[in-house]
Amino acid sequence: MGFTAAAESTAKLTTPIEGDTILVTLPRGQTADGLPAMAAQACGDKPFCRYMAWTDGTKAATAIPLDLAQMAALSFSYMRDRASDYERPLWNCRQFKRADTTQCMATRATMTAVPSPAAVAPATPAATADLNGVRRKAATAAPVPTTQPAPAAVVAK
């Protein structure tokens, strides 16, 4: 698939991913209302096109799939699929306020990795003095008696 440049004078192309996907960094001061026209111009006459734009170039994606931080920083998204008669622009409404909230991207909760607590070594058994009431065998075994059994008494008849 070939790569296309997005509206050269208005948005800076970050990295083309595939012929159907265009990733851009928006120019400073870009208004929300001009974004759909910019995306449509960048997509040209392609029947299928994904246009993703970021206002902060340091958070812009350079590869697909996007990671969670890139998705959270995404400012504008436009998707066109003429085979399904689908065309939809979506704005990050934390960055571009929209009167119609159906035009806003779904917000995703970002997860932060928290280190697991250090492994706790299992407690060693306490000294026997600490276990009152527990019967234990003596540390040394009692000697076994070595006496021989007495011979059976002879019974007289």
Side-chain angles (χ1 to χ4, degrees), residues 39-130:
Q41 179 185 1
C43 288
D45 60 354
K46 293 179 188 177
F48 181 86
C49 182
R50 287 181 294 196
Y51 180 91
M52 294 180 238
W54 288 263
T55 54
D56 185 348
T58 63
K59 297 179 181 175
T62 57
I64 296 286
L66 305 180
D67 63 32
L68 290 175
Q70 292 165 334
M71 285 190 286
L74 184 63
S75 302
F76 175 76
S77 173
Y78 171 84
M79 185 169 165
R80 173 200 299 159
D81 185 1
R82 289 188 176 146
S84 300
D85 196 30
Y86 181 83
E87 186 172 13
R88 184 160 188 189
L90 291 172
W91 287 261
N92 180 334
C93 289
R94 289 172 295 169
Q95 297 175 16
F96 296 106
K97 301 298 179 202
R98 304 300 294 167
D100 182 0
T101 58
T102 62
Q103 296 176 340
C104 297
M105 293 177 192
T107 56
R108 292 182 173 91
T110 56
M111 297 183 283
T112 304
V114 177
S116 60
V120 178
T124 56
T128 56
D130 294 338

